[in-house]
Amino acid sequence: MSNEIRPFTLEIPQSELDYLHDRLARARWAAQLPGTGWERGIPEANLRELAEYWRTGFDWRAREAELNALPQFTTEIDGQHIHFLHVRSPRPDAQPLLITHGFPSSIAEFLRLIPLLTEPADGPAFHVVAPSLPGYALSTPLAGTGWTMARTARAWIELMARLGYDRYGVHGGDVGGGVSGLVAALDGAHVTGVHVVTDPLTAANVATFLPGLADGLDPDDPVDKVILDRMDAFRRDGSGYLAIQNSRPQTIGYGLVDSPVLQLAWIAEKFESWTDLPIDRDQLLTTVSLHWFTGSGASAAHTLYEQSHSAEWGAPPAVPQGFAVFGADETVRRVVPAPADAHWSEFERGLHFPAMEDPENLAGDLRAFFGPLR
């Protein structure tokens, strides 16, 4: 294994773009059943419109240039090819901050957030390190089995050490929140604090499979009943994507790697279902394109399989903890294991992807949390 850190430039061959456009032009479509809508998956009309824009209106070269305007690097850690952004602030007092995306996302999630962190109008600034999760987009191919959140956390700890950061903060949501919590738990001597984003739907969904979060919920309590109802709805109607990836990632992987329409639907449906504020469709299609061009739909599914079969979920971190709840209601505090002295912020709008939905409030909360921890 080499410890070398290599500069990286994203260059998708024109032949790959031509192939994508040809496949989209020749796509076969599942007819929409009369009287059905989003409750059965992304509707045909919505997907057709988005696919046509991907084929004829979306400017991949502009998005590629936007990504290449940020310093990108690759390295090898624990046998795995790792891609990451490393955007240093011009401010001499900037703090290092490791940020991790979740599912079904990519580092493109942070394109609007990063400038707000590296060059803020006021308040603390950050040197941002944003890796692509193993098996996702540019951190492919997946070198083998066993890439759980804990193994990823250990790889991130090694990455920050290679970059020369002795003290740093960590932030994430979804899978990235789990990885960030494990980084803080495993590297408390170097982590200044851990900041996690969540929302009411995600909190209830996570409580369905993470041991202990739903213990003690009372169906006769009005707030607890809302949580329990959301958990039931997720098990019944919302968890199919997770069930297939947690059990047969290879099978669904063939379709995700072979069909751009399936890869588009797989991601676009979640962006629609898990957001409250509008997301720029070019930013959505940047993530979809990264998954398509790298064939990472299958390998991302395999990492979800690995975590669902892992017993290592981590202990509570001993460093300061911060939580930002988007689309907040009274339910989240009931299931999120936040210590009494944790930083806690609530925002009325936004949900699962606040770095895309509401980057200004997210950046402000990161400054509010990490500022006193310098």
Side-chain angles (χ1 to χ4, degrees):
M1 183 179 70
S2 170
N3 290 348
E4 181 185 3
I5 293 175
R6 300 170 292 274
F8 174 82
T9 300
L10 179 59
E11 296 176 316
I12 299 299
Q14 185 60 42
S15 59
E16 288 294 318
L17 277 170
D18 295 341
Y19 176 70
L20 168 63
H21 295 159
D22 179 64
R23 286 294 304 273
L24 290 170
R26 296 188 297 109
R28 299 177 64 186
W29 296 93
Q32 188 79 25
L33 290 179
T36 63
W38 280 97
E39 76 281 354
R40 298 198 180 202
I42 185 169
E44 179 192 3
N46 297 71
L47 189 59
R48 276 183 179 267
E49 180 182 13
L50 191 56
E52 182 63 13
Y53 178 72
W54 195 15
R55 186 177 74 88
T56 63
F58 176 67
D59 186 348
W60 165 254
R61 292 303 182 198
R63 304 285 75 77
E64 188 177 65
E66 185 178 15
L67 286 165
N68 284 331
L70 300 175
Q72 300 178 73
F73 303 88
T74 63
T75 192
E76 182 182 337
I77 301 176
D78 194 11
Q80 175 62 42
H81 169 83
I82 298 295
H83 164 271
F84 62 98
L85 304 177
H86 185 196
V87 188
R88 290 185 59 84
S89 171
R91 292 258 300 271
D93 61 343
Q95 306 173 57
L97 179 64
L98 171 67
I99 61 177
T100 307
H101 67 84
F103 173 88
S105 196
S106 73
I107 47 93
E109 176 178 335
F110 300 126
L111 286 175
R112 292 175 59 200
L113 178 67
I114 287 173
L116 300 174
L117 298 176
T118 57
E119 299 187 65
D122 53 58
F126 300 91
H127 302 306
V128 175
V129 179
S132 299
L133 285 167
Y136 286 66
L138 299 169
S139 286
T140 53
L142 199 60
T145 60
W147 277 98
T148 62
M149 291 194 300
R151 187 174 178 184
T152 301
R154 294 185 180 98
W156 281 192
I157 293 167
E158 170 62 22
L159 175 62
M160 296 304 280
R162 285 187 192 179
L163 294 174
Y165 291 129
D166 184 61
R167 296 285 286 166
Y168 61 96
V170 289
H171 159 78
D174 189 70
V175 175
V179 171
S180 296
L182 283 159
V183 170
L186 295 169
D187 198 29
H190 299 102
V191 172
T192 59
V194 54
H195 184 274
V196 174
V197 292
T198 190
D199 62 86
L201 296 180
T202 299
N205 295 351
V206 170
T208 65
F209 59 81
L210 197 60
L213 293 190
D215 291 354
L217 292 179
D218 180 1
D220 293 325
D221 179 279
V223 175
D224 286 358
K225 187 177 187 308
V226 171
I227 301 169
L228 292 167
D229 287 347
R230 286 174 178 161
M231 292 171 64
D232 287 341
F234 179 67
R235 293 189 191 98
R236 183 180 64 251
D237 298 322
S239 61
Y241 78 97
L242 199 56
I244 186 63
Q245 292 178 113
N246 286 351
S247 59
R248 296 293 184 269
Q250 187 68 20
T251 302
I252 189 62
Y254 294 120
L256 292 169
V257 169
D258 181 64
S259 169
V261 170
L262 178 56
Q263 182 65 87
L264 175 62
W266 201 246
I267 294 178
E269 181 193 78
K270 297 311 174 195
F271 275 46
E272 171 68 26
S273 300
W274 294 348
T275 56
D276 179 43
L277 295 171
I279 287 180
D280 179 76
R281 63 178 176 175
D282 285 348
Q283 194 167 19
L284 160 64
L285 287 171
T286 301
T287 282
V288 176
S289 298
L290 285 170
H291 280 259
W292 170 254
F293 290 133
T294 59
S296 58
S299 53
H302 276 284
T303 64
L304 296 179
Y305 176 96
E306 299 291 351
Q307 187 57 43
S308 72
H309 291 78
S310 172
E312 189 175 10
W313 290 89
V319 302
Q321 298 180 53
F323 297 85
V325 184
F326 287 80
D329 65 16
E330 67 273 31
T331 66
V332 180
R333 281 189 179 271
R334 300 283 180 98
V335 290
V336 171
D341 61 349
H343 167 94
W344 187 276
S345 296
E346 296 185 351
F347 301 94
E348 183 178 355
R349 300 293 304 278
L351 284 175
H352 193 73
F353 300 102
M356 291 186 286
E357 295 179 82
D358 192 4
E360 291 80 11
N361 273 328
L362 176 55
D365 201 62
L366 287 165
R367 288 194 293 270
F369 174 63
F370 285 107
L373 303 180
R374 289 181 53 196

